[in-house]
Amino acid sequence: MLSDWWHQARLQVPRHFQRGFDSSIVLLVSWELWKEQNCRTFQAKSLSASSLFQRIVEEANAWLGAGVGAMSVFTAQGA
């Protein structure tokens, strides 16, 4: 379940980054999974796991470009 993953992953994130994790990474991954589910259900199309991951990375970079600052702590650019 997504909520189980979220809680387990959050425990591994340093406390001062948890807010960014909650508001950015979890939201982004959930959004992309929801869109993929809809594409599979309504258009009978699907991405491979690696293609879906790449889409998530590309979207994260777009969010960074749009100024979602909390994302920067989870990317190579922010490290």
Side-chain angles (χ1 to χ4, degrees):
M1 200 181 245
L2 183 60
S3 63
D4 295 333
W5 167 81
W6 172 48
H7 289 293
Q8 288 300 315
R10 192 174 199 268
L11 293 174
Q12 298 178 31
V13 174
R15 188 163 183 78
H16 59 280
F17 291 142
Q18 287 180 352
R19 184 172 178 216
F21 178 78
D22 293 345
S23 65
S24 298
I25 301 299
V26 173
L27 181 62
L28 172 62
V29 171
S30 298
W31 173 245
E32 291 299 327
L33 289 174
W34 181 79
K35 290 190 326 183
E36 176 62 14
Q37 177 185 349
N38 281 347
C39 191
R40 289 175 184 224
T41 301
F42 300 114
Q43 297 176 7
K45 297 179 184 177
S46 63
L47 293 174
S48 66
S50 61
S51 294
L52 180 57
F53 177 75
Q54 184 60 39
R55 179 181 280 176
I56 291 169
V57 169
E58 290 169 3
E59 189 68 16
N61 286 327
W63 285 26
L64 276 168
V68 180
M71 293 288 289
S72 64
V73 298
F74 301 106
T75 64
Q77 294 105 340

